[in-house]
Amino acid sequence: MYRKIFALAMASGLACGAFAQEASADTAVAKQKGINHWSLGVKGGVNYMKNAPYADLDRTLSGTINGQFGVFTEATFNPRWGLGLGYTFAINNQGGEAGYPSWDGKKHEIDLVSSFNISNIVSPYRRAGLQKLNVFINPGILCAIGTWENAENLIQYYEVEDTKVSMGLTTRGAIEYNVSNYVAVGLEGGLNWYAREYCPMLRRSYSADANLTVRYKFGGERNIRNIAWVDYAPKCEVPDLTPILEEQKRQCEELTSKLEEQIVNQNVAINKLQQQIKFTQDSLDRHIRATREAVKYVPTKEEDEIIKTAFAQLEFESSKAIIKQASYSSLDGLAMLLKSHPEWSVILKGYTDNSGNAAKNLQLSKDRAASVKNYLINKGVSAANIQSQGYGSANPIASNSTLDGRAKNRRVEIELFSK
């Protein structure tokens, strides 16, 4: 049985240790502030003891209600926890029932309790008016010394001792109101359990009591029991983060805007660089085409037939560079051939016979070659692919002494080159 008491006492000690660890740092602060931790009080009320009899009694004896009073002191370490020591004197007179003896009993009880302020634990930041009213739970251990008189009434039944000592456990609850900084009044109730026979003829006892209490708090307003938890350990207020978040949002938007502007500028620079690359590439291609040595192209049989037909049927008005309409169809065939081969470059060469003024003949040969060029361009051939030149009466292909020979010398020839 004593092992159970020891185990419960250890559990209570561990619980107190958790609060003591918190109190150790807090009391250091409290000492710096000059806070007082002590209080002293008196109490008075009634107790009720329920008896469990020896085995040879055929029924349980009825409990009795008697008066009691006591004193107590407490060291309150912080607004949530303290340690108290109390003494109680109680009358335990028992009346005889059904022929069993009665006696005049007295009890001296010393208890050591841990005092937990439930109000400050559950609702530490309640309103100032409610902070004067507190609820306590006080578990602990006790030592009870029982004495009685009229022992002659007991001897005829049992051999008994005049005094017995018993250890036990107690659980007390209290409601206390701070009337002033120095005085508090309260109502206390408790349940007690005793490990061995406490009174004569009894194997074990249970008791309950109720008391009115008056407590004096040393130090007045500096006493720890007058300090609310919100003042002892101020509530940690969460700062308003809105301005910080707004500033971070503004900075993020500003940075995003700068990055977007940089991206736009980079895209513009990339596009400009791409245009410069394209321009450089085109210039390089043009330069390569311009400097590349032209290779004379030998047309196929079908291509040669179209070319010969076009120039065999080519006729101009007399002494003019105007192409006769009868030559259009054959030139159209030549234009279609040239359009199908954009890789060709063309040189048109104009000639005349030796009749008349040589200067006029030279200009006429240039004009007639140019007329053929313009006709082909109008039919869709690229102008960049055609050149025209005039040589007058140079390079005759027949004798100028005959009419037929002079007709053959009045001609336009074509040369094809592959790019």
Side-chain angles (χ1 to χ4, degrees), residues 316-389:
F316 296 92
E317 293 184 6
S318 178
S319 300
K320 295 181 180 179
I322 300 174
I323 300 173
K324 290 184 178 182
Q325 191 172 359
S327 303
Y328 290 171
S329 60
S330 59
L331 288 177
D332 290 344
L334 176 63
M336 291 181 61
L337 177 62
L338 296 179
K339 286 193 295 183
S340 64
H341 292 279
E343 74 278 8
W344 290 351
S345 61
V346 177
I347 298 177
L348 297 173
K349 298 179 178 181
Y351 295 93
T352 64
D353 58 22
N354 60 358
S355 302
N357 185 276
K360 289 182 179 181
N361 287 338
L362 179 61
Q363 186 61 45
L364 180 61
S365 66
K366 291 180 179 180
D367 292 342
R368 285 182 172 178
S371 294
V372 176
K373 174 183 176 180
N374 292 333
Y375 184 89
L376 295 175
I377 292 174
N378 291 333
K379 292 298 181 178
V381 180
S382 173
N385 292 343
I386 303 177
Q387 298 181 35
S388 63
Q389 299 174 1

Side-chain angles (χ1 to χ4, degrees), residues 103-147:
W103 63 88
D104 297 332
K106 298 179 181 61
K107 179 181 67 172
H108 303 272
E109 189 172 275
I110 300 173
D111 51 27
L112 178 66
V113 297
S114 293
S115 177
F116 297 97
N117 190 325
I118 302 301
S119 299
N120 282 339
I121 294 174
V122 175
S123 182
Y125 304 110
R126 61 195 184 280
R127 296 196 306 271
L130 295 177
Q131 291 172 2
K132 293 184 177 182
L133 184 65
N134 295 277
V135 178
F136 296 88
I137 296 295
N138 306 330
I141 58 176
L142 59 81
C143 176
I145 303 173
T147 64

Side-chain angles (χ1 to χ4, degrees), residues 10-26 77-78 80-82 114-116 121 229:
M10 288 295 293
S12 177
L14 291 174
C16 295
F19 280 85
Q21 185 176 8
E22 178 183 4
S24 62
D26 293 341
F77 299 107
N78 64 36
R80 290 181 173 176
W81 178 73
S114 293
S115 177
F116 297 97
I121 294 174
W229 185 261

Side-chain angles (χ1 to χ4, degrees), residues 297-315:
Y297 177 75
V298 178
T300 63
K301 183 178 181 180
E302 292 79 6
E303 295 169 346
D304 188 58
E305 185 67 28
I306 295 172
I307 294 171
K308 286 181 177 180
T309 301
F311 289 101
Q313 297 180 1
L314 178 61
E315 293 183 1

Side-chain angles (χ1 to χ4, degrees), residues 50-53 57-63 97:
K50 184 69 175 178
N51 304 317
L57 293 181
D58 57 0
R59 62 189 177 87
T60 300
L61 298 179
S62 300
E97 297 182 26

Side-chain angles (χ1 to χ4, degrees), residues 19-231:
F19 280 85
Q21 185 176 8
E22 178 183 4
S24 62
D26 293 341
T27 45
V29 177
K31 288 179 181 178
Q32 295 177 4
K33 297 180 179 179
I35 295 176
N36 195 292
H37 297 271
W38 293 95
S39 61
L40 180 67
V42 296
K43 62 181 179 180
V46 295
N47 74 80
Y48 171 82
M49 187 170 71
K50 184 69 175 178
N51 304 317
Y54 283 113
D56 58 349
L57 293 181
D58 57 0
R59 62 189 177 87
T60 300
L61 298 179
S62 300
T64 58
I65 299 177
N66 296 280
Q68 67 178 23
F69 68 89
V71 295
F72 57 87
T73 184
E74 181 177 317
T76 307
F77 299 107
N78 64 36
R80 290 181 173 176
W81 178 73
L83 192 64
L85 179 67
Y87 165 77
T88 303
F89 173 78
I91 298 173
N92 283 150
N93 295 337
Q94 301 292 318
E97 297 182 26
Y100 292 106
S102 63
W103 63 88
D104 297 332
K106 298 179 181 61
K107 179 181 67 172
H108 303 272
E109 189 172 275
I110 300 173
D111 51 27
L112 178 66
V113 297
S114 293
S115 177
F116 297 97
N117 190 325
I118 302 301
S119 299
N120 282 339
I121 294 174
V122 175
S123 182
Y125 304 110
R126 61 195 184 280
R127 296 196 306 271
L130 295 177
Q131 291 172 2
K132 293 184 177 182
L133 184 65
N134 295 277
V135 178
F136 296 88
I137 296 295
N138 306 330
I141 58 176
L142 59 81
C143 176
I145 303 173
T147 64
W148 59 89
E149 298 176 357
N150 299 326
E152 64 275 6
N153 295 333
L154 304 176
I155 294 174
Q156 58 180 322
Y157 289 94
Y158 301 98
E159 293 182 1
V160 298
E161 301 173 356
D162 290 341
T163 303
K164 285 191 175 182
V165 179
S166 178
M167 299 297 294
L169 299 176
T170 182
T171 300
R172 319 194 69 77
I175 299 177
E176 189 173 272
Y177 181 77
N178 294 323
V179 177
S180 69
N181 289 328
Y182 288 92
V183 179
V185 296
L187 179 63
E188 177 192 70
L191 293 174
N192 306 313
W193 175 81
Y194 305 95
R196 54 166 292 188
E197 63 270 19
Y198 165 67
C199 291
M201 301 177 64
L202 303 177
R203 289 181 298 171
R204 59 187 182 276
S205 299
Y206 306 87
S207 70
D209 58 64
N211 301 284
L212 293 174
T213 63
V214 178
R215 183 188 301 269
Y216 178 80
K217 297 170 288 182
F218 294 95
E221 64 179 5
R222 294 184 296 105
N223 193 283
I224 194 70
R225 298 177 74 90
N226 292 324
I227 300 176
W229 185 261
V230 67
D231 298 323

